[in-house]
C-alpha cells in the first residue's frame, strides 16, 4: 500500500513539475507574443463586441406606456385614451429593431475579439493585412499543431487512462477513510493532468469560500471544461446523465471510487426523482458537495442566463462560483450546434492556452419568504457581478427551443391594460 | 481600412444600394454581417423561417406581419438587396438633404414610412384598410385579453374617426390624415448602431 502511494506521488510530482515548466515557458512566450502582435496590428477585426443589454419586462412595460403616451400627447383629442392607428408603430419598430440586432442570438455565438490572436477560427473578416502577419500566423500554426498538440494529446490520454484505471482499482477497497482519502488524491491528480493537457492557466480567488460537504456548488456554464477546471481544485460529486462510449466508461469507473450522481436517460425527465436523489445526497454530510450548472446549457461567457430553480429548491447551502475565461488565448465556448465534442476538444488543444479566473463566492442560504426562483436570481446576480458578466433574464433553453407563447401574451397583456384600463376610467366619469 | 473595402467588394451592386438607401458603408457592412448571421445555412437569401428564429421577433404580437413585409407577394426568399431596402424605411430622415426636384423620393421619407405602416394593416393590398383587417390587427395586438365586443367597439370608433368618405374602410390618404400630428420620423426610425 505504501509503495503504491509513493508511486502515485512520484508520478504526480514529476508530471506536475514537467508540466508547470512547460506551461510557464509557453505562457511567457505567448504573452509577449500576443501583446507584441497587438501593437503590430491596427484594430483589424471590424467586430466590436456588442454587449448583451439588460432587458426586463418591467422596463418593457414602462417604455410601452411612455411611448404610447408620448405618441398621443401630440395628438390631443377627446378619444386620446383610445386605440390609435399609430399604436402599431411601437410594435413595428421593436420588431425591426430585433431584426437588425437581438440579444439572445448574440449570447450563443462566440465573443468577437478586438484584435486578432493569430487563430484562424477567430478571424471573422479574413483579409490579408500584411505578409509579416501571415508569416507569424504560419509560425503559430506550426508551433500549435506540430509541438503543442501532440504534447497535449499525450497528456490527455495519460490523464484519462489513469483516471479510469486507478478509480477502478480503488473501487475494490472497502468503504472507509482510506478509500475516500485515496479517491480524493487520485481524482485531483488526474484532473490536474487533464488541466495541463489543455494548458489551462487558472487563477483561483477566495479559496476560503470553497464548497464544503453537504452543500451544492453552482457555477455559470461555458463549456464542458468547466468541470475539469473546478474539479482540479477540490472534490465534487458530479451530476449528469449516463452516456455511452468513452464518457460512459469514465463515469462508471469514477462512481466506483466515490459517489457521483449519474442518472439514466429515463430518470432525467422525472423531476421529483432527481430532486430526491440530490437531497438525499446533501443530507449525508460525509458526501462531497454536488456540482451543478443551473443554466442547463453552454452560454458564451459574456452573460449569465436564467437559472433553473430545481437545484435551489433542495434547501441546502449554496456555494456560488463564477468562472470567467479570457478569450484572447483561446475561445472556450462550446457552440454545440456548430461543432461536436471531438472537434471542440481538438480546437481546445490547438489554441494557445485556456486562461480563466475562478472566484469562490461566500455561501448563500435561502431566506425566509424567498421562493426558489428569487433565490436563484439572487445567486445569479452575485455570480454575474463577480465575473463581470451581464445578468440576463432569458432562458438558456431558447438556444434550441421556440419562444413560449407566454412571452407574446405578456406583451399583449401590457398593451391591453393601457387601452382597456383607460376605457374603464372613461366609463366611470 | 483593409477589412472595410474588401467586404464591400464582395457585395454586388453595393454602390447602387448605398445610393438608393442612403446607408453608409459601415451600415451596409453591419447589415451584411447580420444577414449572414440570420442566413444560418449560407444560402445567400433568407426565408420566413430564418426570421422566425429571432426570438424577440417571435414574441412580437405583429411579428408575422413584419416578416411578411419583407417578402413580396409570391416570393419565398429575400436577398440582401431587398433586405437592406426594406430596412432603409427605418433610417432617420435626413434633415439636411437638398431637395432635388427630379430625384425620386428617398426610401426613408415620411410618406414612405407611412406606406410601410399602412402595408402592415392592409394585408390584401387593395389600398384600403377594411373593418375586418383592422379587427385582425387589433386581435393580434391584444390577444385574448379583450372580448370580441370590446374589439368591435374599438374598431368601430377608429373607423368612425378616420373614415372621411364614409366607405367603411380607411384609404391611405385617410390614414395619412389621421396621423398628421404624429412625429413619424421619431416613431418609425431606429438607430443603426455604428
Amino acid at each position: 500500500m505504501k509503495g503504491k502511494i509513493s508511486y502515485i506521488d512520484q508520478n504526480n510530482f514529476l508530471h506536475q513539475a514537467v508540466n508547470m515548466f512547460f506551461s510557464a515557458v509557453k505562457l511567457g512566450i505567448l504573452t509577449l507574443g500576443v501583446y507584441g502582435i497587438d501593437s503590430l496590428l491596427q484594430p483589424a477585426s471590424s467586430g466590436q463586441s456588442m454587449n448583451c443589454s439588460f432587458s426586463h419586462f418591467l422596463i418593457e412595460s414602462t417604455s410601452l406606456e411612455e411611448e404610447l403616451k408620448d405618441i398621443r400627447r401630440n395628438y390631443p383629442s377627446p378619444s386620446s385614451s383610445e386605440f390609435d392607428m399609430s399604436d402599431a408603430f411601437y410594435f413595428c419598430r421593436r420588431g425591426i429593431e430585433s431584426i437588425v440586432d437581438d440579444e439572445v442570438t448574440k449570447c450563443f455565438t462566440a465573443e468577437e475579439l478586438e484584435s486578432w490572436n493569430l487563430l484562424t477560427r477567430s478571424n471573422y473578416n479574413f483579409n490579408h493585412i500584411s505578409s509579416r502577419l501571415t508569416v507569424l500566423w504560419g509560425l503559430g500554426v506550426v508551433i500549435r499543431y506540430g509541438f503543442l498538440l501532440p504534447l497535449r494529446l499525450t497528456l490527455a490520454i495519460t490523464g484519462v487512462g489513469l483516471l479510469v484505471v486507478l478509480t477502478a482499482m480503488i473501487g475494490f477497497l472497502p468503504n472507509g477513510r482510506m478509500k475516500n482519502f485515496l479517491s480524493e488524491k487520485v481524482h485531483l491528480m488526474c484532473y490536474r493532468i487533464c488541466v495541463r493537457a489543455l494548458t489551462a492557466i487558472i487563477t483561483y480567488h477566495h479559496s476560503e469560500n470553497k464548497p464544503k460537504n453537504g452543500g451544492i456548488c453552482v457555477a455559470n456554464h461555458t463549456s464542458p471544461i468547466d468541470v475539469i477546471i473546478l474539479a482540479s481544485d477540490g472534490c465534487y460529486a458530479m451530476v449528469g446523465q449516463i452516456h455511452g462510449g468513452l464518457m460512459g466508461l469514465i463515469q462508471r469507473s469514477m462512481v466506483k471510487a466515490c459517489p457521483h450522481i449519474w442518472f439514466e436517460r429515463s430518470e432525467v425527465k422525472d423531476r421529483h426523482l432527481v430532486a430526491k436523489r440530490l437531497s438525499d445526497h446533501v443530507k449525508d454530510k460525509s458526501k462531497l458537495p454536488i456540482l451543478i450548472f443551473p443554466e442547463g446549457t453552454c452560454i458564451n461567457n459574456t452573460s449569465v442566463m436564467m437559472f433553473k430553480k430545481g437545484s435551489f429548491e433542495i434547501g441546502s447551502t449554496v456555494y456560488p462560483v463564477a468562472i470567467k475565461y479570457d478569450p484572447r488565448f483561446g475561445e472556450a465556448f462550446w457552440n454545440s450546434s456548430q461543432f461536436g465534442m471531438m472537434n471542440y476538444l481538438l480546437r481546445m488543444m490547438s489554441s494557445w492556452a485556456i486562461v480563466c479566473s475562478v472566484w469562490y463566492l461566500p455561501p448563500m442560504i435561502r431566506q425566509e419568504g424567498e421562493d426558489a426562483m428569487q433565490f436563484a436570481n439572487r445567486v445569479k446576480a452575485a455570480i454575474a457581478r463577480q465575473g463581470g458578466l451581464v445578468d440576463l433574464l432569458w432562458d438558456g433553453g431558447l438556444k434550441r427551443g421556440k419562444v413560449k407563447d407566454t412571452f407574446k401574451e405578456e406583451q399583449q397583456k401590457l398593451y391591453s391594460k393601457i387601452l382597456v384600463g383607460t376605457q374603464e376610467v372613461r366609463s366611470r366619469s | 481600412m483593409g477589412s472595410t473595402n474588401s467586404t464591400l467588394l464582395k457585395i454586388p451592386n453595393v454602390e447602387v444600394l448605398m445610393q438608393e438607401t442612403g446607408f453608409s458603408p459601415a451600415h451596409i457592412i453591419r447589415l451584411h454581417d447580420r444577414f449572414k448571421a440570420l442566413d444560418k445555412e449560407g444560402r445567400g437569401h433568407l426565408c420566413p423561417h430564418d426570421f422566425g428564429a429571432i426570438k424577440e421577433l417571435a414574441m412580437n404580437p405583429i411579428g408575422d406581419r413584419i416578416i411578411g413585409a419583407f417578402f413580396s407577394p409570391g416570393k419565398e426568399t429575400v436577398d440582401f438587396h431587398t433586405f437592406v431596402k426594406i430596412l432603409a424605411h427605418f433610417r432617420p430622415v435626413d434633415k439636411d438633404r437638398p431637395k432635388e426636384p427630379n430625384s425620386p423620393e428617398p426610401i426613408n421619407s415620411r410618406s414612405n414610412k407611412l406606406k410601410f405602416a399602412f402595408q402592415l394593416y392592409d394585408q390584401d393590398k387593395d389600398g384600403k384598410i377594411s373593418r375586418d383587417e383592422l379587427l385582425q390587427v387589433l386581435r393580434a395586438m391584444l390577444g385574448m385579453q379583450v372580448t370580441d365586443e370590446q374589439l368591435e367597439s374599438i374598431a368601430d370608433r377608429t373607423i368612425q374617426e378616420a373614415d372621411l368618405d364614409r366607405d367603411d374602410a380607411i384609404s391611405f390618404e385617410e390614414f395619412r390624415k389621421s396621423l398628421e400630428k404624429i412625429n413619424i420620423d421619431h416613431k418609425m426610425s431606429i438607430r443603426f448602431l455604428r
Side-chain angles (χ1 to χ4, degrees), chain A residues 79 82 85 99 127 412, chain B residues 6 34 55 121 140 157 161:
Chain A
S79 56
E82 306 245 323
M85 309 281 268
I99 292 181
N127 303 298
Q412 289 168 336
Chain B
S6 58
R34 181 65 175 166
K55 315 294 178 185
Y121 282 96
R157 236 191 306 256
E161 282 165 13

Side-chain angles (χ1 to χ4, degrees), chain A residues 8-74:
Chain A
I8 292 175
D9 275 348
Q10 266 183 16
N11 208 0
N12 188 13
F13 176 70
L14 193 61
H15 263 118
Q16 284 214 341
V18 165
N19 297 328
M20 275 204 298
F21 170 69
F22 269 120
S23 51
V25 168
K26 266 184 284 187
L27 189 57
I29 297 179
L30 294 171
T31 323
L32 287 174
V34 172
Y35 282 118
I37 289 163
D38 261 0
S39 60
L40 281 180
L41 283 179
Q42 289 154 23
S45 166
S46 53
Q48 291 163 17
S49 49
M50 310 260 202
N51 291 318
C52 297
S53 57
F54 194 109
S55 100
H56 193 299
F57 279 126
L58 203 55
I59 292 186
E60 186 79 28
S61 73
T62 50
S63 65
L64 173 56
E65 268 187 66
E66 276 169 20
E67 285 253 1
L68 290 181
K69 276 203 201 108
D70 196 36
I71 297 180
R72 283 146 176 202
R73 205 187 316 136
N74 305 331

